[in-house]
Amino acid sequence: MLAMPNAYISGTGMYVPPRRVTNDDLAKDFGIDTTSEWIVQRTGIEERRYADDGVGTSDLAVHAARDAIEKAGIKKTDLDMIIFATLSPEHCFPGSGVYLQQKLGLCEGNDAKFVPALDIRNQCSGFLYGLGTATSMVKSGACKHVLLVGAEVHSHALDLSSRGRTVGSLFGDAAGAVIVSATDEDRGVRSWHLGADGRYADVLAQRIWDIRRFPFIPQDDKGVGQIQPEMMWAQMEGKLVFRNAIERMMTVLMEACVKNGITGQDIDLFVFHQANLRINQYLQQHLGIPDEKVVHNIQRFGNTTAATIPTLLAESEANGKLKRGMKVAMVAFGSGFTWGCAIVDW
Ligand code: UT7
């Protein structure tokens, strides 16, 4: 029997839209009753990027995907699958994966390749759910190269008013991508650990429609859909999310270390989901992780949900913080609740 290949990350890429929105801009341009001091103190966020009107999630993703494909040294037609993690797909259906496939130009010409396109709906843990899936696809021999993207256009679906300030000030738009490839070398994704606790499904949610109801969005007498603000915008019990994030991220990281027979000291780089700098600082402090082993981009991009980890990987590779041979821990937590950790020998 042939040995199973290893799955490693052969290329990383990222893209953020050019429009910068600082905390002061939220107060000045949007009239939100907030201060930069409040946002920085509670979250570490200084600014975020917003996509222009007319730009969708797959538009951001295509830049990140092209970047990752180039870095991996492959052609787009070498891809065997697309996995697209997002909570802000263009539409209810179809998912953003097929739009990305089209925009990558995989559906045209003599070398068109109609690869499967899978959307992952696991919010802030979406990238790690995708990494687990891509790794399994590669290790099983089904795929040699999987394009895994985490991308979000949050800004178009945020209540950018004082009413929505708690959630509205946190999120930004971005796309990150990796290529997960087969290799016979002794490297790559060593293990992945995923979890969920559906008891908290409503604690962080955006329930634009309710499919239990007929019609699923209430209509006025002219047949025009009517969505109340509490249905239209994401709702979050921030403190409960904060506490659970710390507990679950800590536990899943420990679980991963035990599984790999390592301790935190064996890990060279910690790539934590970027929901709140304070969450990650708490983890860092309690686990005794030195500053040089942690990377952040929440200060510049805000919480970009499925895009936080792949954008950090791309940035860290580009600036030399992430090098071949390093042991990397990626940890995430988010709506669902869902969480995950992956240990990767780079
Ligand atoms: O990636 C998805 C997972 N999400 C997270 O992990 C988020 C986890 N939660 C958090 O990071 C924190 O709960 C937040 C940063 C979101 C909020 O911090 P908090 O300390 O829990 O604040 P709070 O929601 O309890 O609000 C405290 C006060 C409230 O005012 P009152 O009622 O005390 O008068 C809020 O209205 O702060 C007010 N507030 C703001 N003030 C200025 C909330 N947002 C803002 C704001 N600017 N942007």
Side-chain angles (χ1 to χ4, degrees):
M1 205 176 85
L2 286 172
M4 263 201 301
N6 283 315
Y8 81 113
I9 293 177
S10 60
T12 61
M14 68 169 286
Y15 179 77
V16 290
R19 185 175 161 212
R20 277 196 160 87
V21 177
T22 65
N23 294 340
D24 285 334
D25 293 339
L26 290 180
K28 257 193 353 261
D29 300 346
F30 295 91
I32 300 176
D33 177 16
T34 189
T35 62
S36 185
E37 196 191 356
W38 192 97
I39 299 174
V40 171
Q41 197 181 42
R42 304 277 176 125
T43 71
I45 299 165
E46 290 163 21
E47 59 180 46
R48 71 287 288 140
R49 303 297 181 97
Y50 283 179
D52 286 337
D53 197 9
V55 173
T57 315
S58 62
D59 296 314
L60 303 188
V62 74
H63 294 291
R66 285 199 192 111
D67 190 13
I69 290 167
E70 194 190 318
K71 300 267 175 48
I74 61 170
K75 299 190 297 293
K76 65 188 181 199
T77 47
D78 292 325
L79 295 175
D80 300 307
M81 184 173 187
I82 294 169
I83 302 180
F84 200 123
T86 186
L87 69 64
S88 49
E90 266 85 356
H91 304 297
C92 168
F93 69 82
S96 290
V98 289
Y99 290 108
L100 174 60
Q101 181 195 30
Q102 192 188 83
K103 286 171 185 169
L104 274 173
L106 273 170
C107 309
E108 286 141 39
N110 292 334
D111 57 354
K113 198 165 176 192
F114 299 100
V115 298
L118 172 70
D119 270 48
I120 298 244
R121 298 294 306 276
N122 290 87
Q123 300 70 250
C124 299
S125 314
F127 178 78
L128 291 182
Y129 270 70
L131 187 61
T133 308
T135 300
S136 303
M137 287 291 176
V138 167
K139 282 184 147 279
S140 73
C143 298
K144 275 212 172 73
H145 300 287
V146 177
L147 166 62
L148 167 61
V149 175
E152 308 287 354
V153 173
H154 281 307
S155 60
H156 298 172
L158 291 174
D159 181 3
L160 293 172
S161 70
S162 296
R163 179 183 58 195
R165 64 183 180 177
T166 314
V167 173
S169 54
L170 301 179
F171 293 93
D173 305 341
V178 301
I179 309 295
V180 181
S181 299
T183 181
D184 295 327
E185 292 173 27
D186 183 19
R187 65 187 289 200
V189 181
R190 297 306 192 187
S191 71
W192 48 264
H193 308 259
L194 302 172
D197 186 347
R199 289 175 299 175
Y200 297 98
D202 289 329
V203 165
L204 174 48
Q206 189 165 10
R207 291 173 289 254
I208 299 180
W209 68 80
D210 185 345
I211 207 72
R212 296 169 301 184
R213 311 290 296 276
F214 179 82
F216 74 130
I217 290 169
Q219 289 172 300
D220 67 9
D221 51 11
K222 294 195 181 64
V224 178
Q226 304 289 305
I227 306 180
Q228 296 303 315
E230 63 276 15
M231 291 290 279
M232 180 139 169
W233 310 114
Q235 307 292 324
M236 172 172 77
E237 288 182 44
K239 286 196 163 59
L240 188 59
V241 177
F242 194 104
R243 279 202 306 277
N244 277 270
I246 286 172
E247 195 183 307
R248 292 299 186 182
M249 288 173 83
M250 191 98 83
T251 312
V252 74
L253 177 58
M254 292 297 114
E255 186 191 321
C257 285
V258 170
K259 166 90 181 179
N260 287 276
I262 59 173
T263 71
Q265 279 168 0
D266 298 312
I267 294 165
D268 301 303
L269 197 69
F270 291 84
V271 183
F272 294 122
H273 170 55
Q274 307 284 295
N276 185 327
L277 194 60
R278 309 298 163 228
I279 293 177
N280 295 350
Q281 285 169 338
Y282 187 94
L283 290 172
Q284 193 188 336
Q285 212 173 22
H286 280 254
L287 297 169
I289 304 168
D291 283 346
E292 61 273 17
K293 286 192 175 188
V294 190
V295 284
H296 295 294
N297 61 19
I298 189 168
Q299 299 95 326
R300 289 172 287 129
F301 301 147
N303 181 350
T304 60
T305 305
T308 61
I309 293 178
T311 54
L312 281 171
L313 294 175
E315 286 189 319
S316 303
E317 262 209 319
N319 67 22
K321 278 210 102 175
L322 174 53
K323 295 191 203 73
R324 175 78 210 263
M326 280 185 153
K327 197 176 280 299
V328 184
M330 307 172 198
V331 192
F333 175 87
S335 155
F337 294 147
T338 58
W339 58 86
C341 178
I343 303 290
V344 179
D345 283 326
W346 203 258

